[in-house]
Each structure stands twice: as C-alpha cells, then as structure tokens.
Amino acid sequence: MEKVELIWKNGELVPWDEANVHVLSHGLHYGTGVFEGIRCYETESRGPAIFRHADHLNRLEQSAELYYMELPYSAEELRQATHELIRRNGLRSCYIRPLAFRGYGEMGLYAQSAPIDVIIAVWPWGAYLGEEGKRKGIRTKVASWRAISAESAIPHAKASGQYLNSILAKTESAKAGYEEAILLDQHGFVSEGSGENIFLVRDGVICTPPHTAAILDGITRASVIQIARDLGYTVEERGIARSELYLAEEAFLTGTAAELVPIREVDDHEIGEPGEITRVIQEKFEDALHGRAEEYLEWLDPVGETASTGDASGEANPNEVGEPASGKVGS
Ligand SMILES: Cc1ncc(COP(=O)(O)O)c(C=O)c1O
C-alpha cells in the first residue's frame, strides 16, 4: 500500500509508521472492531469531496451499537478529523478507513472494560477490482462458503471478525483463477460479493437481493438503486436463485472500494460484455462521484482545499480551509 504522512489515532495525528497497537489488543485476538470503507474524489465543482460521508459514519455508529461498543467520538468529530487528515496529508482523492476496535486492557470474551480505540487512515487506492474490470467486466465464481447468516452474526454490521467469511470466499475464488467470489445465503439464495453488493438484469428489470439475504446494506447499492430509478428503470429487491446468475442479461457488483464493476462471467457461464443498462448506470454513478451530476451534489462532503497539492509541505494556499500542514504532529 502507498504510505502517506499521517494517521489519526485517538484524537491525534501521528506519523504513519508510529500508528501502532499493543499485541494484546482485544480486537487483534477476537476481531472486535467495526470499520468503514469510504472514498474521497477530486470533483469538478467542489474540490476534494467525500462520497456519502454522513451515511458511512452513521453506519459505523450502527455497527458499533450492534456489537455493544460505545464510540468515544461523535460522527461530527470523526467527520472533521477526516477532513483535517486528508488536508494535512495533501491528498485530493483517497480511500478512507475509519476503524474502532477494542484495545489493550482486558482479555476474554466479555471484555467491556477494554478501551475502544479509534483510528482513521487515508491513502491513495485505485479501483479495487482494477480499471480494466470496470470497463470490460470480471469473472466471478460462486463460493462454496455461505454468507454468515443473521442466525450466527450480524450481516448488517461492518465488523472486522465477520470478514473472515469474505476472506475465505475471496481466497477460494482467487486461487481458482477468478476475480471475485459471490456468496449464497443460508437458504441458497444469492447474497453478495465478498466485498460488494450484487445486481442482475432479467427481462429488462434490475434485481438485487433484499436485506434479509445476509447482505451488508451497501451505500453504493442505495446510490445505484436511486440512480437507476431516477433514470426510469424498475428495480426490484427480491430473492435471487443461483441459476438466475447464469441466465442474467447483465450483472454488476457495487461497493465503495470496487465502485461499479460489470460481471462478464459466473461459474464459466458467459454473461458477456457490459450491457447497456450497466453502462448507463455506471456512467451516471461516476458522474455523481466526481461532482458532475447536479442532482446528486448533496452526496458530496467537500473537505476543503489542501495546503499544497501532492504533499503536505505546509506551503500557504489562499484556498486553504483548515490549519496549514506542518511538520508538527498532533491536532
Ligand atoms: C461484504 C460487503 N458487502 C457490500 C459492500 C458494499 O458496501 P458499500 O457500498 O457501502 O461500500 C461492502 C463494502 O463495504 C462489503 O464489504
């Protein structure tokens, strides 16, 4: 991964290489963490802006609540900290990873006195499934692993430990030569990708699994549903049989890291080149991300101008909103 200068940790900006934890941190042993994946884009009208920032921070708070973790910072404090972090690192577009985890202090499974540590990291990160994948589509495989059901964990929470399930599925598909895994839920219906929600087109209707199919309630999913409906398409949230994957006219994945990625193959069944509905929605979604779609500008949270472009050297900039970057660490 590409390093930047600073990471926000428990209210302070610390050098990237010094953002460390104790080896007996609870989250490291039991996966007791909740996190978000967010992106900031260079936009034409608003400068660097974070896509649906408030919705991501809201989901972080919900994930924490679902695992009985009280966040020591408000969503607004985390929002402001993220703005400052991006500016101080001199970034204009980046991936953003807030993580709240049980830290060092108590072991065992009911460790309510283990502190909740919070970090925010930002770094440049290109399209998760590749630029070519976004253009031409990817090859996918249905995983032998079922998605964690609501009977054994909380699909709606974006919780660290739960990702072992995604990692098994992703690893299996990668080792078999595919670019992404699709998981079925406990009933054998289509759930989602290892890190993305899934959409199919059947008879011209866009379908996506409902909340009851062990999915994460994706923010990209919600954006794409709104865009598709605004464009006049019908979108149904309904149970999807595995065979429908193979018979789909079009299919695509959505997620913050991956963005909107067409699927061109599932289990060696050809879906083909990205179809028209996928293309039209992908284009509008890209416009929304980059501030070119007037109707979706409210989804953008501008971070203010960086002190200098490309580094955090601290040179004065008349457009600067926050404190000038400097060698000094700490906020
Ligand atoms: C398992 C899983 N499903 C779906 C998504 C897509 O969610 P979002 O669009 O909010 O990034 C993600 C990514 O966060 C994910 O990890």
Side-chain angles (χ1 to χ4, degrees), residues 37 56 59 158 163 166 192-197 216-221 254-257:
H56 281 283
R59 189 170 65 186
K158 198 167 167 64
Y163 275 81
S166 294
E192 60 180 354
S194 70
E196 308 86 13
N197 293 112
L216 182 72
D217 185 9
I219 289 162
T220 319
R221 174 185 182 275
T254 63
T256 299

Side-chain angles (χ1 to χ4, degrees), residues 1-4 16 39 91 93-95 122-126:
M1 63 192 299
E2 202 175 318
K3 274 193 204 177
V4 299
W16 178 280
R39 277 189 188 272
L91 294 165
S93 66
C94 59
Y95 186 78
V122 296
W123 68 90
W125 200 13

Side-chain angles (χ1 to χ4, degrees), residues 314-327:
E315 279 165 29
N317 180 326
N319 293 321
E320 188 188 328
V321 173
E323 279 175 42
S326 73

Side-chain angles (χ1 to χ4, degrees), residues 182-200:
I182 297 170
L183 290 97
L184 306 180
D185 69 13
Q186 76 269 33
H187 304 297
F189 290 115
V190 175
S191 175
E192 60 180 354
S194 70
E196 308 86 13
N197 293 112
I198 189 166
F199 290 77
L200 306 186

Side-chain angles (χ1 to χ4, degrees), residues 25-298:
S25 295
H26 196 269
L28 202 53
H29 295 249
Y30 305 113
T32 43
V34 294
F35 67 101
E36 273 304 313
I38 314 174
R39 277 189 188 272
C40 172
Y41 292 90
E42 174 73 287
T43 69
E44 289 179 11
S45 48
R46 307 278 154 110
I50 301 171
F51 187 68
R52 302 199 71 164
H53 199 187
D55 296 309
H56 281 283
L57 292 173
N58 185 35
R59 189 170 65 186
L60 183 73
E61 286 184 322
Q62 289 177 358
S63 299
E65 185 187 338
L66 289 167
Y67 276 99
Y68 304 96
M69 293 166 65
E70 205 170 315
L71 293 183
Y73 302 95
S74 68
E76 183 55 26
E77 284 169 325
L78 295 176
R79 175 174 168 263
Q80 295 297 342
T82 307
H83 288 189
E84 187 187 4
L85 183 67
I86 292 171
R87 291 196 302 262
R88 293 280 295 267
N89 279 307
L91 294 165
R92 301 195 66 83
S93 66
C94 59
Y95 186 78
I96 305 164
R97 167 56 55 82
L99 166 72
F101 61 99
R102 285 210 180 269
Y104 169 71
E106 190 184 355
M107 275 294 172
L109 300 185
Y110 187 62
Q112 298 293 298
S113 73
I116 306 292
D117 287 330
V118 184
I119 65 100
I120 307 168
V122 296
W123 68 90
W125 200 13
Y128 175 60
L129 296 171
E131 280 304 324
E132 188 172 311
K134 278 172 63 180
R135 270 197 319 277
K136 296 192 176 158
I138 58 163
R139 298 179 63 237
T140 63
K141 179 186 183 321
V142 173
S144 66
W145 302 97
R146 293 292 171 91
I148 290 175
S149 84
E151 288 164 353
S152 48
I154 313 176
H156 271 87
K158 198 167 167 64
S160 305
Q162 294 185 181
Y163 275 81
L164 287 175
N165 175 241
S166 294
I167 286 168
L168 283 172
K170 178 83 185 183
T171 305
E172 178 185 76
S173 70
K175 284 184 179 292
Y178 297 84
E179 287 151 298
E180 187 52 289
I182 297 170
L183 290 97
L184 306 180
D185 69 13
Q186 76 269 33
H187 304 297
F189 290 115
V190 175
S191 175
E192 60 180 354
S194 70
E196 308 86 13
N197 293 112
I198 189 166
F199 290 77
L200 306 186
V201 178
R202 298 220 62 209
D203 297 324
V205 173
I206 301 168
C207 321
T208 193
H211 283 207
T212 45
I215 64 166
L216 182 72
D217 185 9
I219 289 162
T220 319
R221 174 185 182 275
S223 309
V224 160
I225 290 174
Q226 184 172 337
I227 288 170
R229 288 186 175 144
D230 289 350
L231 288 168
Y233 295 112
T234 303
V235 182
E236 287 179 0
E237 296 178 61
R238 65 160 176 86
I240 295 177
R242 177 174 184 164
S243 56
E244 291 188 272
L245 288 171
Y246 307 147
L247 300 173
E249 291 135 38
E250 302 183 30
F252 56 88
L253 297 170
T254 63
T256 299
E259 299 168 329
L260 193 158
V261 180
I263 295 173
R264 69 183 157 87
E265 224 177 276
V266 184
D267 287 347
D268 305 304
H269 289 278
E270 182 87 9
I271 295 177
E273 292 282 303
E276 173 169 347
I277 295 177
T278 305
R279 280 277 165 251
V280 168
I281 295 173
Q282 188 184 39
E283 197 178 314
K284 187 55 112 177
F285 176 61
E286 291 282 334
D287 285 346
L289 295 178
H290 294 95
R292 295 188 295 261
E294 193 71 33
E295 64 273 44
Y296 304 120
L297 283 180
E298 67 188 27

